[in-house]
C-alpha cells in the first residue's frame, strides 16, 4: 500500500488517499481518514508551511520533539535556516480544503465553511503542493550532501612545496613530447602524488619530482637542483670548471656496454690531456659505478672546485685505464680557425679555410661569422667545417649557424607523435658564405645540434660530409627554470632532417669516410692535406667532390 495524490473528477482540490495496486483504478478517490481529525484553528499560511516542512525533516535533523524549528542549539543544525525560510513564506493561503497526512503525529485536518472559497483557491493550492514537494526533495539532497561532507576528510592547505611540485608537473604536462606520458594518466598521477608523497620539506619535494619524472622512462628528461641548473647554464655561457668531458648514454655499437660514453673531450682540457677521446666508456667515477648513473648525476660528479681531483675508470677499446684528473677551468671558446695552403695544387683550392666548431654555446654563430670574415681576408677558395666531437648545445645556435651557409631551404623539421608541427628554414637573409665549396667533418662524437647542422648542409646539397656516422641524438630538450632556482631538462620534440630522416639512435651518415689516422687538431688537418706520403692524406680536390 502506498500514499498517492490524486484529483477527483468532480472537484479540483487535491486529496491524499491509500492506493491498492491490485485493485482497478478509478477516476474518483475518496479521502480515507486513518486517524481522528481535529479542527485546525486557522493558523496563518506561513506557519502552516513552516510547520509542515519542519515535521517532515524531523527524522533527518535534530529538531526538538515538539516539531518546532530550532531547539536549544538550533543554530548548529543544518536545516535551521531552511525552516526559517519556511516561516517567512507569505504566499501560502491562510485557509484551504481538506488535508490529511500522518507523519509520526496524530493526523490533522482543516475545513472551511465555504465551498466557493475552496474552488477559488484550488489553483494556488496545486502550485503550493508542488512547491512543498520540491522543498522535500531539496531537503533530502541537502541532508545527503551534509552527510557526505561530514564523512569526508578535512580539506588541506596547499603548501609551498606542493606548489613547487605542481609547477614541475605543469611544465611536463605542457612541454613533454609524448602526450601519453609513457602510458599513464598524468592527471591521476598528480592527484595520487599530492595525496601520498611526503612533501614536508624541499628535499622531499625534490625526491617526489624525480620520482614523477622517472615514470616517463626518458633518460634525457631530468630534474636539476639549483646548483646543477646553475652549472648547466654556465656551461652554455662560455666556461665551466671540471675535466672537460661531454658524455652521453651508449648508442649504436656501444649500446650493449654498461657505463657512460664519452662524446667528446674539450681540446686542452684535463680529460683531453690525459688521452680520453670520443667513444671511450666511463665505468667508474670516484669508485662509484656508472652502470645505472644518469648523465646529470655524472656531470655533477665530474665538475667541482678548480684544483680538486677526481678519479675515473675508463674503458678505451680493450684497454682499461685508471686516471686521476685535476679539475680546471675549461674555456668553451667554440671556434678555432686555420688557413691551410696547399702548394702545387693543380686545381682551384690552394687556400682552404679550416673552422673547428667545438660546441654550440651562446657565442657559437657569432664566432663562426667572425672566423669566416677573418679567413676571407686571406682570400680562401673553400671552407672546411670540423664538427668532430661537437656534442651540441643550444638548439637556436645550431639553427643560426646553418643559416650562415644556406641561401635557402629547410634546416630541420620539428615533430611530435602527430607528425610535423614546426619547420625551421631560411630565406638566405642571414647567409654570408653560401657560395664557396664546403666540406663538413663528422664522427661519433658529433651530436644533437651539430647533427642538425650537418644534416641540413648535406640534405640541401650545400656540403659534402666526411667521416663516420654521428652519435644519433634525434630528440630536443629544453631547459625550464622553476621558481626556487631549480630546473627541468625536458624532451620537447624530435626532429627530422630536411630529407625527412629520423636520425635518433642512427646518426647522420656521411658521404665519404676519412682515413682512420686523420688528425683532429688544426695543425694535423693541414698536414693531412699537404703531405701526400702521409697515411692520413686526402686530396684537396676530393675533399669537395660529391
Amino acid at each position: 500500500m502506498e500514499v498517492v495524490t490524486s484529483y477527483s473528477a468532480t472537484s479540483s482540490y487535491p486529496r491524499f488517499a491509500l492506493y491498492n495496486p491490485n485493485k482497478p483504478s478509478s477516476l474518483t478517490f475518496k479521502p480515507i481518514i486513518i486517524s481522528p481529525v481535529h479542527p485546525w484553528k486557522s493558523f496563518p499560511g506561513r506557519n502552516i508551511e513552516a510547520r509542515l516542512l519542519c515535521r517532515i525533516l524531523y527524522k533527518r535533523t535534530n529538531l526538538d520533539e515538539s516539531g518546532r524549528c530550532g531547539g536549544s542549539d538550533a543554530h548548529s543544525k543544518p536545516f535551521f535556516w531552511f525552516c526559517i525560510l519556511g516561516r517567512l513564506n507569505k504566499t501560502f493561503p491562510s485557509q484551504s480544503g481538506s488535508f490529511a497526512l500522518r507523519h509520526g503525529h496524530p493526523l490533522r485536518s482543516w475545513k472551511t465553511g465555504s465551498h466557493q472559497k475552496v474552488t477559488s483557491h484550488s489553483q494556488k493550492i496545486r502550485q503550493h503542493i508542488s512547491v512543498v514537494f520540491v522543498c522535500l526533495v531539496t531537503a533530502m539532497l541537502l541532508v545527503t550532501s551534509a552527510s557526505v561532507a561530514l564523512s569526508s576528510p578535512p580539506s588541506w592547505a596547499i603548501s609551498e612545496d606542493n606548489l613547487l611540485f605542481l609547477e614541475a608537473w605543469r611544465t611536463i604536462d605542457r612541454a613533454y613530447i609524448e602526450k601519453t606520458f609513457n602510458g599513464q594518466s598524468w592527471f591521476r598521477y598528480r592527484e595520487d602524488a599530492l595525496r601520498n608523497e611526503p612533501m614536508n620539506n624541499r628535499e622531499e619535494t625534490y625526491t617526489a619530482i624525480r620520482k614523477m619524472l622517472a615514470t616517463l622512462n626518458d633518460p634525457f628528461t631530468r630534474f636539476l637542483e639549483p646548483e646543477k641548473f646553475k652549472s648547466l647554464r654556465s656551461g652554455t655561457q662560455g666556461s665551466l670548471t671540471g675535466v672537460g668531458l661531454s658524455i652521453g648514454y651508449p648508442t649504436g655499437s656501444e649500446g650493449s656496454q654498461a657505463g657512460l660514453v664519452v662524446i667528446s673531450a674539450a681540446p686542452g682540457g684535463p680529460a683531453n690531456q690525459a688521452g680520453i677521446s670520443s667513444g671511450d666508456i666511463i665505468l667508474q667515477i670516484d669508485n662509484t659505478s656508472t652502470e645505472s648513473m644518469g648523465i646529470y648525476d655524472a656531470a655533477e660528479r665530474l665538475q667541482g672546485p678548480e684544483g680538486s681531483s677526481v678519479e675515473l675508470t675508463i674503458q678505451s677499446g680493450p684497454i682499461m685505464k685508471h686516471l686521476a684528473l685535476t679539475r680546471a677551468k675549461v674555456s668553451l671558446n667554440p671556434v678555432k680557425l686555420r688557413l691551410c695552403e696547399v702548394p702545387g695544387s693543380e686545381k682551384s683550392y690552394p687556400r682552404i679555410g679550416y673552422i673547428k666548431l667545438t660546441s654550440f654555446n651562446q657565442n657559437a654563430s657569432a664566432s663562426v661569422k667572425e672566423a669566416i670574415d677573418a679567413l676571407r681576408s686571406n682570400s680562401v677558395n673553400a671552407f672546411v667545417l670540423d664538427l668532430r666531437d661537437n656534442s651540441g648545445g643550444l638548439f637556436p645556435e645550431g639553427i643560426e649557424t646553418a643559416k650562415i651557409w644556406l641561401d635557402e631551404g629547410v634546416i630541420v623539421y620539428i615533430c611530435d607523435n602527430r607528425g610535423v608541427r614546426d619547420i625551421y628554414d631560411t630565406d638566405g637573409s642571414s647567409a654570408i658564405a653560401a657560395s664557396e665549396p664546403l666540406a663538413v667533418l663528422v664522427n661519433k662524437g658529433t651530436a644533437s645540434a651539430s647533427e642538425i647542422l650537418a644534416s641540413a648542409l648535406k640534405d640541401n646539397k650545400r656540403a659534402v660530409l666526411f667521416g663516420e656516422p654521428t652519435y644519433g641524438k634525434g630528440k630536443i630538450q629544453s631547459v625550464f627554470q622553476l621558481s626556487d632556482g631549480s630546473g627541468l631538462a625536458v624532451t620537447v620534440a624530435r626532429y627530422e632532417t630536411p630529407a625527412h630522416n629520423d636520425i635518433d639512435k642512427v646518426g647522420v651518415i656521411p658521404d665519404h669516410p676519412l682515413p682512420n689516422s686523420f688528425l683532429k687538431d688544426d695543425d694535423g688537418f693541414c698536414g693531412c692535406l699537404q703531405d701526400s706520403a702521409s697515411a692520413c692524406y686526402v686530396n684537396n680536390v676530393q675533399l669537395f667532390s660529391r
Side-chain angles (χ1 to χ4, degrees):
M1 304 288 280
E2 58 180 314
V3 178
V4 299
T5 304
S6 67
Y7 290 88
S8 169
T10 59
S11 65
S12 58
Y13 52 89
R15 299 180 179 186
F16 285 76
L18 296 177
Y19 171 63
N20 186 345
N22 297 319
K23 184 179 180 179
S25 60
S26 173
L27 291 175
T28 303
F29 285 81
K30 294 182 180 181
I32 299 175
I33 305 303
I34 58 178
S35 66
V37 177
H38 303 282
W40 193 296
K41 295 184 180 180
S42 190
F43 285 97
R46 59 181 178 272
N47 288 339
I48 293 173
E49 182 177 356
R51 291 181 185 226
L52 172 64
L53 294 178
C54 290
R55 285 188 180 278
I56 292 171
L57 298 176
Y58 172 76
K59 294 290 185 181
R60 299 296 299 274
T61 65
N62 293 327
L63 301 176
D64 60 28
E65 291 295 329
S66 65
R68 296 190 303 271
C69 295
S72 61
D73 59 341
H75 289 279
S76 66
K77 306 300 185 289
F79 290 98
F80 171 75
W81 290 108
F82 193 87
C83 297
I84 293 297
L85 291 175
R87 289 186 179 276
L88 296 178
N89 189 341
K90 297 181 180 180
T91 63
F92 197 90
S94 60
Q95 295 178 351
S96 59
S98 297
F99 178 84
L101 178 66
R102 185 177 182 88
H103 186 78
H105 291 274
L107 199 66
R108 295 178 182 179
S109 174
W110 70 94
K111 295 183 179 180
T112 68
S114 172
H115 179 72
Q116 288 79 7
K117 290 183 178 181
V118 171
T119 304
S120 65
H121 289 295
S122 63
Q123 185 64 31
K124 293 182 179 179
I125 293 171
R126 286 195 297 271
Q127 294 175 353
H128 284 282
I129 289 296
S130 300
V131 171
V132 171
F133 179 74
V134 171
C135 289
L136 292 176
V137 174
T138 304
M140 295 179 69
L141 292 175
L142 289 173
V143 170
T144 303
S145 300
S147 300
V148 172
L150 291 174
S151 64
S152 299
S155 60
W156 45 271
I158 298 292
S159 68
E160 183 178 347
D161 287 293
N162 292 145
L163 290 175
L164 181 64
F165 176 85
L166 288 173
E167 186 181 358
W169 178 92
R170 191 179 304 111
T171 300
I172 299 297
D173 181 57
R174 294 176 178 176
Y176 190 60
I177 177 177
E178 177 56 69
K179 294 309 179 185
T180 66
F181 301 98
N182 197 27
Q184 64 182 323
S185 170
W186 198 237
F187 287 92
R188 176 168 293 181
Y189 187 92
R190 178 190 66 182
E191 300 307 313
D192 290 345
L194 289 174
R195 185 180 300 111
N196 301 321
E197 293 294 332
M199 301 182 201
N200 300 313
N201 53 56
R202 195 49 49 91
E203 190 53 45
E204 286 184 348
T205 303
Y206 287 169
T207 299
I209 294 174
R210 293 189 201 98
K211 185 175 178 180
M212 173 180 68
L213 299 183
T215 66
L216 300 174
N217 195 27
D218 178 358
F220 296 106
T221 296
R222 283 292 180 266
F223 174 71
L224 305 168
E225 290 85 350
E227 287 302 315
K228 291 182 182 179
F229 182 76
K230 182 179 179 181
S231 177
L232 178 66
R233 294 186 65 181
S234 68
T236 64
Q237 292 174 353
S239 66
L240 56 81
T241 302
V243 297
L245 281 177
S246 294
I247 58 177
Y249 298 102
T251 63
S253 61
E254 296 114 2
S256 60
Q257 300 190 41
L260 299 172
V261 65
V262 174
I263 298 177
S264 65
N272 176 257
Q273 293 178 358
I276 299 175
S277 60
S278 60
D280 289 350
I281 303 296
I282 304 175
L283 300 177
Q284 291 184 343
I285 302 176
D286 283 333
N287 296 320
T288 300
S289 173
T290 62
E291 183 174 357
S292 58
M293 187 181 295
I295 57 174
Y296 296 110
D297 185 15
E300 182 183 27
R301 294 170 183 266
L302 291 173
Q303 297 174 22
E306 187 173 2
S308 61
S309 62
V310 58
E311 295 184 359
L312 301 180
T313 301
I314 302 292
Q315 182 77 45
S316 181
I319 302 173
M320 183 86 68
K321 300 178 182 179
H322 298 280
L323 302 173
L325 305 181
T326 300
R327 296 182 179 97
K329 188 172 183 179
V330 180
S331 175
L332 298 179
N333 184 358
V335 169
K336 288 186 175 182
L337 64 138
R338 179 71 180 266
L339 173 64
C340 294
E341 296 187 78
V342 185
S345 174
E346 300 177 357
K347 299 291 181 180
S348 57
Y349 310 119
R351 301 172 68 84
I352 298 173
Y354 172 83
I355 300 173
K356 185 171 183 62
L357 180 60
T358 58
S359 67
F360 288 93
N361 62 24
Q362 63 184 13
N363 303 318
S365 60
S367 297
V368 170
K369 289 180 179 179
E370 292 174 359
I372 291 172
D373 289 338
L375 291 170
R376 272 189 175 155
S377 65
N378 287 285
S379 304
V380 297
N381 308 115
F383 290 102
V384 171
L385 178 63
D386 192 349
L387 297 178
R388 290 175 296 173
D389 297 333
N390 183 327
S391 60
L394 299 177
F395 172 80
E397 285 297 306
I399 299 299
E400 291 303 312
T401 304
K403 291 180 179 180
I404 293 173
W405 304 97
L406 294 170
D407 55 4
E408 63 178 355
V410 172
I411 297 173
V412 68
Y413 294 103
I414 306 301
C415 308
D416 57 20
N417 289 336
R418 294 184 296 269
V420 176
R421 79 179 192 195
D422 203 358
I423 301 174
Y424 286 85
D425 58 7
T426 181
D427 59 3
S429 59
S430 299
I432 65 171
S435 57
E436 292 95 340
L438 175 65
V440 176
L441 311 183
V442 296
N443 66 355
K444 57 188 174 183
T446 303
S448 193
S450 57
E451 290 178 287
I452 292 176
L453 173 58
S455 61
L457 297 177
K458 177 186 176 184
D459 288 357
N460 283 288
K461 301 189 184 305
R462 173 64 186 91
V464 183
L465 263 61
F466 284 82
E468 58 187 349
T470 61
Y471 179 76
K473 185 174 179 292
K475 292 179 179 173
I476 300 171
Q477 285 71 42
S478 288
V479 178
F480 300 86
Q481 182 171 2
L482 301 180
S483 57
D484 74 330
S486 60
L488 296 175
V490 182
T491 300
V492 296
R494 65 179 177 86
Y495 66 82
E496 293 180 357
T497 73
H500 287 288
N501 295 320
D502 184 351
I503 69 163
D504 195 46
K505 299 181 180 179
V506 176
V508 181
I509 308 302
D511 298 303
H512 306 288
L514 281 174
N516 292 333
S517 57
F518 199 89
L519 301 178
K520 293 182 179 179
D521 61 277
D522 49 348
D523 288 333
F525 169 79
C526 290
C528 290
L529 296 183
Q530 295 168 345
D531 185 3
S532 58
S534 171
C536 67
Y537 176 73
V538 174
N539 184 286
N540 69 334
V541 176
Q542 295 176 344
L543 194 62
F544 302 102
S545 301
R546 298 189 180 277

